[in-house]
Amino acid sequence: MALIQCPSCNKRISSLVKTCPHCAQKNSAENESLNKITHIKRSNQLMNQSFFAMTLFIAGVVIWFWGGEPAEGMRANIAAICSVFGFTGYLIARVRIVLHKRKSV
Ligand SMILES: [Zn+2]
């Protein structure tokens, strides 16, 4: 817990309170840090998502070329599904990361 200055009455208030006890002004420091935390959490989530999609795509490619021969039958289906989902998932995650970053600035 830290003491911060209320932006409206300049009295010292706890950074944990949501509203200033002196003038009932909304504690913007609290909101700001909360927004930042939510934003970072969301960024991490999107990064994980793109990482997972990338792994899926690579797994699909590895399955396809496993043993030095192009896949056939069931293995080809699995490989194709993995790489298609991985690739689309990765693209979607990247776009969402860009949009998310743009929103914050
Ligand atoms: Zn105040």
Side-chain angles (χ1 to χ4, degrees):
M1 177 181 127
L3 284 175
I4 55 154
Q5 235 172 22
C6 170
S8 119
C9 67
N10 286 330
K11 278 178 182 151
R12 287 195 161 272
I13 55 164
S14 162
S15 62
L16 296 174
V17 296
K18 285 192 169 64
T19 48
C20 173
H22 307 290
C23 65
Q25 165 78 32
K26 266 218 155 74
N27 184 353
S28 58
E30 154 91 0
N31 290 338
E32 230 167 75
S33 59
L34 207 71
N35 281 346
K36 255 179 212 162
I37 290 166
T38 319
H39 189 81
I40 291 165
K41 269 189 188 163
R42 183 91 185 109
S43 297
N44 285 341
Q45 212 179 351
L46 289 171
M47 286 304 282
N48 285 340
Q49 207 177 320
S50 73
F51 180 75
F52 177 75
M54 174 82 112
T55 312
L56 195 67
F57 175 69
I58 291 167
V61 173
V62 168
I63 291 167
W64 187 272
F65 290 108
W66 196 260
E69 289 165 31
E72 277 170 27
M74 190 63 183
R75 204 174 59 141
N77 286 338
I78 294 169
I81 288 166
C82 279
S83 43
V84 166
F85 270 90
F87 189 69
T88 353
Y90 181 73
L91 283 183
I92 291 168
R94 291 310 302 184
V95 168
R96 285 170 80 182
I97 287 169
V98 169
L99 290 178
H100 182 65
K101 276 186 180 154
R102 199 171 288 170
K103 200 166 63 183
S104 74
V105 180

